[in-house]
């Protein structure tokens, strides 16, 4: 029988949206593609117009009050580094709390800056599912949707003057409005919702907090260098498509998640974060010493899943997130299934049957 392909590592990366790809191609056939937004020529003016239109659309789609709150970056990692530098600029020597379940892109830059500036930080207390408890502090760093477990953090528990949050796993998977969220700086990745691969952006609640980052010629407040107008235009369309299709995709995600998790539990897998408020697209499981065998076995059948986060899949030691919630284990103990909303309960049943044959 022909095996069916399932792409279940969507929290790591999804391909560019078809309509967005079409937009990208059309942009490169337009007069604007010949222009630099800072140039006075007709192509330059057109490029500037398209770039700012994309910024406006993105701002509106994430619930920002103004397009001036959006700063384009190269990648989400750069957005995180820049955003954390903005936070540290506000911090001076005041107290800082960091959630223990941050992505490495956030965790490592925090530790580096704390060491450099001799700042002591505290960890936000969490429960056994990795959900944050209440704190009172000047500043805090806390991911909104945890990239492995899919936990949606109750950011309202952070009674802080200044909050940085990595929101890259939220867009296109759950409804989000940055103005309603308890945050001052948010960071996003276009490739997580079908946008342009190497584009990230920052949401800044107050533009007055802005500081420059990196050197080189600069257009407006964005990253240094020639603006990636095509990337921004493409990303705005991808985000619109992601948000418009969210209700329909959520229905499928929930069906898939329920069938998959019930079936996996029967097979002896432990569902991490079960019963907590989670993104409907993510299922993170523990199966001691069997993960690698299952992941590679599924791979051979055209079903592609992850060993936790993609960034950590080559990491052979203890999974840092899991050790923080009291479930120590390495890359051979955990599997992450994450989808974009293409798959429903029939696909979950197919996946379960394939896993059964591998055990």
């Amino acid at each position: 029988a022909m095996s069916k392909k399932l792409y279940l590592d969507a929290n790591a990366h999804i391909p560019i949206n078809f309509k967005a790809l079409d937009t990208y191609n059309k942009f490169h056939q337009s007069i604007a593609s010949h222009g630099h937004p800072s140039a006075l020529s007709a192509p330059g003016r057109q490029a500037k117009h398209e770039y700012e239109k994309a910024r406006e659309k993105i701002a509106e789609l994430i619930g920002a009050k103004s397009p001036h709150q959006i700063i384009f970056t190269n990648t989400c990692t750069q957005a995180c580094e820049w955003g954390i530098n903005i936070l540290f600029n506000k911090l001076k020597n005041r107290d800082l709390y960091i959630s223990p379940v941050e992505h490495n892109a956030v965790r490592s830059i925090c530790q580096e800056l704390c060491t450099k500036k001799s700042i002591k930080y505290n960890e936000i207390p969490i429960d056994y599912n990795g959900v944050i408890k209440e704190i009172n502090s000047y500043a805090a760093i806390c991911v909104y949707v945890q990239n492995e477990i899919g936990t949606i953090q109750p950011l309202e528990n952070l009674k802080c003057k200044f909050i940085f949050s990595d929101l890259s796993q939220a867009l296109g998977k759950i409804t989000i409005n940055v103005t309603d969220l308890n945050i001052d700086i948010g960071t996003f990745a276009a490739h997580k919702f079908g946008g342009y691969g190497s584009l990230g952006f920052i949401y800044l609640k107050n533009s007055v907090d802005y500081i420059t980052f990196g050197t080189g010629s600069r257009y407006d407040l964005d990253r240094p260098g020639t603006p990636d107008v095509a990337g921004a235009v493409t990303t705005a369309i991808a985000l619109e498509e992601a948000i418009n299709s969210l209700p329909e995709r959520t229905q499928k995600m929930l069906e898939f998640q329920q069938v998959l998790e019930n079936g996996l539990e029967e097979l002896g897998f432990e569902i991490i974060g079960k019963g907590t408020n989670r993104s409907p697209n993510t299922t993170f499981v523990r199966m001691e010493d069997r993960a690698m065998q299952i992941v590679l076995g599924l791979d051979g059948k055209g079903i592609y899943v992850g060993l936790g986060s993609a960034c950590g899949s080559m990491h052979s030691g203890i999974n840092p997130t899991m050790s923080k919630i009291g479930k120590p284990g390495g890359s051979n103990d955990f599997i992450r299934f994450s989808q974009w909303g293409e798959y429903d309960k029939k696909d979950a049943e197919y996946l379960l049957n394939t896993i059964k044959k591998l055990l």
Side-chain angles (χ1 to χ4, degrees):
M2 274 286 289
S3 63
K4 180 176 182 174
K5 284 197 178 342
L6 297 178
Y7 296 95
L8 294 169
D9 202 7
N11 284 3
H13 182 80
I14 68 162
I16 204 161
N17 168 277
F18 282 141
K19 190 174 174 186
L21 189 56
D22 190 42
T23 303
Y24 184 81
N25 289 330
K26 281 180 179 152
F27 176 83
H28 279 297
Q29 291 156 23
S30 72
I31 182 174
S33 67
H34 293 270
H36 187 297
S38 299
L40 295 173
S41 63
R45 295 195 304 274
Q46 190 60 37
K48 178 175 184 163
H49 173 71
E50 293 296 336
Y51 196 48
E52 292 311 322
K53 218 167 71 176
R55 196 193 304 271
E56 278 172 31
K57 189 190 273 278
I58 289 168
E60 193 185 324
L61 288 166
I62 67 169
K65 286 179 174 168
S66 155
H68 302 298
Q69 294 173 292
I70 305 299
I71 300 163
F72 288 118
T73 67
N74 281 328
T75 74
C76 187
T77 298
Q78 188 187 53
C80 290
E81 290 186 8
W82 193 344
I84 289 163
N85 270 278
I86 292 171
L87 175 109
F88 271 78
N89 192 50
K90 298 286 291 183
L91 192 63
K92 309 300 182 221
N93 284 318
R94 288 171 287 212
D95 59 330
L96 171 68
Y97 273 79
I98 299 172
S99 111
V101 293
E102 293 301 305
H103 186 283
N104 196 38
V106 170
R107 190 192 298 117
S108 54
I109 191 72
C110 289
Q111 288 166 342
E112 201 178 295
L113 285 171
C114 284
T115 306
K116 203 163 148 186
K117 296 174 184 279
S118 304
I119 290 170
K120 281 203 179 84
Y121 69 87
N122 308 289
E123 287 196 339
I124 301 170
I126 53 173
D127 69 14
Y128 60 91
N129 288 310
V131 180
I132 57 165
K133 296 179 181 176
E134 205 167 290
I135 58 152
N136 284 283
S137 171
Y138 177 76
I141 292 170
C142 183
V143 65
Y144 185 40
V145 176
Q146 209 282 331
N147 66 301
E148 288 179 305
I149 312 169
T151 317
I152 301 167
Q153 294 288 16
L155 297 178
E156 62 279 5
N157 283 352
L158 305 175
K159 316 291 182 204
C160 301
K161 279 242 183 332
F162 215 77
I163 295 168
F164 166 95
S165 185
D166 165 11
L167 302 159
S168 59
Q169 292 292 353
L171 272 188
K173 294 163 190 168
I174 60 169
T175 305
I176 182 170
N177 182 312
V178 288
T179 301
D180 296 344
L181 277 178
N182 182 29
I183 60 163
D184 300 274
I185 309 165
T187 54
F188 300 89
H191 74 96
K192 302 287 190 196
F193 56 80
Y196 190 69
S198 58
L199 193 87
F201 53 96
I202 298 171
Y203 158 77
L204 209 51
K205 187 178 183 178
N206 296 311
S207 313
V208 67
D209 295 329
Y210 173 86
I211 57 169
T212 58
F213 185 80
T215 54
S217 63
R218 202 179 280 274
Y219 170 89
D220 194 47
L221 302 176
D222 299 323
R223 61 153 177 89
T226 305
D228 186 353
V229 182
V233 169
T234 304
T235 295
I237 295 296
L239 183 53
E240 186 174 51
E241 288 285 291
I243 288 168
N244 288 344
S245 63
L246 182 59
E248 189 190 327
R249 289 186 297 106
T250 301
Q251 189 62 44
K252 286 182 165 181
M253 289 179 202
L254 286 167
E255 283 180 13
F256 182 93
Q257 190 181 51
Q258 195 176 359
V259 172
L260 176 64
E261 293 185 1
N262 289 344
L264 287 176
E265 279 191 315
E266 281 172 24
L267 294 173
F269 289 77
E270 179 190 358
I271 314 295
I272 310 289
K274 193 188 177 200
T276 59
N277 186 21
R278 279 183 298 149
S279 167
N281 86 310
T282 305
T283 294
F284 193 64
V285 300
R286 185 183 192 193
M287 183 58 141
E288 219 165 310
D289 293 333
R290 303 289 293 278
M292 195 76 79
Q293 172 205 340
I294 294 163
V295 168
L296 294 176
L298 289 173
D299 210 68
K301 304 276 184 198
I303 299 174
Y304 311 110
V305 302
L307 285 167
S309 85
C311 312
S313 61
M314 298 301 166
H315 174 77
S316 57
I318 295 290
N319 179 312
T321 304
M322 292 301 105
S323 64
K324 293 287 182 187
I325 65 170
K327 295 187 189 298
S331 53
N332 200 20
D333 301 305
F334 301 102
I335 303 172
R336 181 181 69 183
F337 302 92
S338 57
Q339 67 146 318
W340 180 241
E342 309 100 312
Y343 308 122
D344 57 18
K345 58 185 174 196
K346 281 201 180 80
D347 300 301
E349 284 158 6
Y350 174 72
L351 171 59
L352 282 168
N353 285 329
T354 312
I355 291 172
K356 274 178 199 163
K357 290 172 190 164
L358 294 171
L359 292 174

